[in-house]
Amino acid sequence: MADQQVPSAHRTTTVEKGRFTAAHCTCGWRGPARRARSKARTDATEHEASP
């Protein structure tokens, strides 16, 4: 059992580029560009909740 790895937690941030905001995760996932920051934050929260 020495080869077992603990899955790392998803760590998301939001990144602004011009008028758009997108959620990014340390796992490589990127959410769609959104005009509403709140929607990008919701995308990030939903991604963190899904395995």
Side-chain angles (χ1 to χ4, degrees):
M1 289 196 170
D3 293 326
Q4 284 185 341
Q5 295 179 0
V6 177
S8 61
H10 290 270
R11 306 249 186 241
T12 57
T13 58
T14 55
V15 179
E16 294 187 28
K17 187 170 185 179
R19 295 182 178 183
F20 294 93
T21 303
H24 291 192
C25 183
T26 55
C27 75
W29 173 86
R30 291 178 184 231
R34 306 283 192 178
R35 287 187 184 220
R37 288 183 190 108
S38 62
K39 183 58 180 157
R41 285 191 298 267
T42 300
D43 292 341
T45 302
E46 289 174 356
H47 173 73
E48 288 179 353
S50 66

